[in-house]
Amino acid sequence: MEQVIKSINRKLLAMRYADNTRKTYLSNIKSFIWFHRSTPINELSELHVRPYIDDLVRKKVSRSAQNVAINSLKFYFEKVLNQDVKYYYWERPKKALTLPIILDKSEVSAIIKSTNNIKHKAMLSLLYSAGLRVGELLAIKIN
């Protein structure tokens, strides 16, 4: 199994996947192989995915984690094993419909007033007023 994981890691590095994606994909593929430990790795096929996904559902793994597991296995079959790109009949869980938590004016005001640092006040005000994500705020360049 170690050789297979090393070859998958090399492929992920060669394709310049982000470190977190690489670690997550490797973890999911290891988990898949371990789940089917009684089957030789070279005999694993897309037919082995359904029982694995069903096990994730039974363990109440989050919907997003299930989708990442499916994406990991799709990568494994298509990019590592060089199988044709195709549609797999693996049901993806529906995304939960949740409403965002909205802060009222007094809560936003309290957050902004919680710091005396003018730069932090400006950053918090800009985050709120422009609806920015933290990464978007940090990427702003003043010209």
Side-chain angles (χ1 to χ4, degrees):
M1 177 160 110
E2 229 20 69
Q3 291 294 57
V4 171
I5 296 304
K6 284 181 182 178
S7 78
I8 295 167
N9 191 40
R10 280 193 300 273
K11 187 75 164 183
L12 286 161
L13 287 168
M15 295 180 72
R16 298 181 183 237
Y17 275 68
D19 283 344
N20 284 339
T21 304
R22 190 174 48 79
K23 289 173 188 171
T24 304
Y25 276 28
L26 287 170
S27 173
N28 280 308
I29 294 167
K30 282 181 194 176
S31 177
F32 171 72
I33 292 169
W34 178 251
F35 181 79
H36 292 292
R37 60 191 169 278
S38 61
T39 305
I41 294 174
N42 60 343
E43 292 180 18
L44 291 174
S45 73
E46 62 189 67
L47 300 175
H48 291 91
V49 173
R50 176 80 274 141
Y52 174 69
I53 298 299
D54 290 344
D55 186 60
L56 295 179
V57 172
R58 191 173 62 259
K59 290 178 181 174
K60 298 189 185 318
V61 171
S62 74
R63 291 177 171 111
S64 61
Q66 289 173 43
N67 272 318
V68 172
I70 291 170
N71 291 338
S72 304
L73 296 173
K74 187 170 170 34
F75 173 87
Y76 176 66
F77 288 112
E78 292 177 359
K79 304 294 184 193
V80 177
L81 299 181
N82 296 318
Q83 294 180 0
D84 292 335
V85 175
K86 62 181 178 181
Y87 177 80
Y88 296 98
Y89 296 98
W90 306 329
E91 294 85 19
R92 291 181 180 263
K94 286 186 178 182
K95 195 171 187 174
L97 299 176
T98 57
L99 295 174
I101 297 170
I102 307 290
L103 302 176
D104 64 31
K105 288 181 184 180
S106 65
E107 292 170 317
V108 172
S109 180
I111 291 171
I112 294 170
K113 290 176 184 173
S114 69
T115 182
N116 291 326
N117 183 314
I118 191 71
K119 181 173 106 177
H120 296 161
K121 279 188 189 288
M123 292 170 73
L124 290 169
S125 297
L126 186 58
L127 274 172
Y128 175 70
S129 63
L132 297 178
R133 297 181 182 108
V134 172
E136 294 169 329
L137 174 74
L138 296 175
I140 291 175
K141 304 288 182 227
I142 299 173
N143 291 326

